[in-house]
Amino acid sequence: MTNETKRRWVVLWGLAGGRANRRSMKESVARATAAQNESVERSAAGAAARALGPDHERRWGWLMRRRSRRVLVVASVATWALLLAGGLAPEPTWERTAFAFLLSVACYFLLREASRLITELPETYLDERQLRIRDESFTIAYKVLSGVLGVVAGLGVAGLVIASSGDTPTFPAIGYEAGIAAALSLGMTMQSLPAAVLAWREPDLQQ
């Protein structure tokens, strides 16, 4: 066998091995994706069985009353405002921001239970009425959030116009603490608002 023939065989074996490796990699990725999807499906099924089952009412019965849920919604809104106000304070501190953030996270998890995870579960686990109230909650939450952001943007523009007027324009100094607090407050509001709307509007979440 000549050297040229040997080189050709080496190249052919290399190409075959590369194709085999790529095929093996694709199969590995497909198996990993299927396993991940199966794990997500089992997790969603377990969450649906827990949130929509009879045990949920016995465990979280005090949140099933409309007055209790509305108090929780008001408390959640207060934590979002407290988180933002902590960052805009004259002397913001990380401790104050962290405390307000932990309060907002606690209210968020309570809102999830108060709304029976209806705003988070896949459609396959919800009936027609639950799908309807979920869609309505997202629609109202979007309108509320758009209105709040519009007011905040308007106030910001008005503040910039006022600050830039005059012979010596002055702009308020905003530190990174305020930016982080504002981002956390906006994030918690966006995440919690659909569940808050559903919890506020529903007269009774029992099955």
Side-chain angles (χ1 to χ4, degrees), residues 37-49 121 125:
N37 292 337
E38 185 179 356
S39 176
V40 171
E41 183 67 21
R42 286 199 302 267
S43 177
L121 290 175
Y125 298 102

Side-chain angles (χ1 to χ4, degrees), residues 139-158:
T139 301
I140 295 174
Y142 172 78
K143 292 179 179 179
V144 171
L145 186 61
S146 299
V148 171
L149 292 179
V151 171
V152 172
L155 292 176
V157 171

Side-chain angles (χ1 to χ4, degrees), residues 119-136:
T119 58
E120 300 183 17
L121 290 175
E123 295 183 0
T124 54
Y125 298 102
L126 303 177
D127 57 28
E128 292 182 0
R129 178 184 177 277
Q130 291 166 344
L131 288 173
R132 178 178 57 80
I133 62 177
R134 187 187 70 167
D135 293 342
E136 291 175 353

